[in-house]
Amino acid sequence: MDRHIARVNRTHLAVVGVLLVAGGGLAIVRGRGLLPGLPADQPLLNEAERAFARGHDWFWYAVAAGAVVIALVAIRWLLAQGRTGTIRTLRVDDPTGRTRLPARAAGRAVAADLAALPAVRRSTALLTGAPSAPRLRLHVTADARCDWPALRGDLTGTTLTNLRTALERDHIPARVRVRLADTGPGRDIR
């Protein structure tokens, strides 16, 4: 998942969590009769509000419609959590026609190119975006004593050039995450 999307998810979850905790706390305080002027044995809605709801048929339809909209938004958000953004097939257009290539096969080829490099211990490659405009996401575990300039040259020169040539594209945006084998968090190569 993209860092920006993850940050937005955390922010929205925090806001929803705070609202739910505040609502639950308010309900507990109200139910115990601890709010001044609102005894626990009185209905939640006063007589004027209940009369308004009884006098306007559309009121409960509006409440139901609002609940349905909230439920649909929540379901859409929940389903979006399972998406990785990876694509299944790639389109390669040339003058003789269109070819469809499994994106997983292209990712495996890129990972195999990377695995052949002496400094690389392990690698994975995912193609994301649209089939007609793919983006590459690489995760590389490299030897802690590797030659950084040489590794970067191999990544940007050989590996990415091979992919661009195979997909007949002038440009494929790539994000490379390099983790050193003997250390903690990775380091982005820009």
Side-chain angles (χ1 to χ4, degrees), residues 108-124 136 138-162 176-178 189:
R108 284 188 194 130
V110 170
D113 273 356
L114 289 172
L117 299 175
V120 175
R121 291 191 181 177
R122 186 179 44 191
S123 65
T124 58
L136 181 65
L138 292 173
H139 295 273
V140 178
T141 303
D143 186 10
R145 295 173 302 273
C146 71
D147 180 12
W148 280 100
L151 179 61
R152 182 178 178 167
D154 288 339
L155 287 171
T156 58
T158 309
T159 304
L160 295 178
T161 301
N162 290 347
V176 181
R177 182 86 173 152
V178 177
I189 294 180

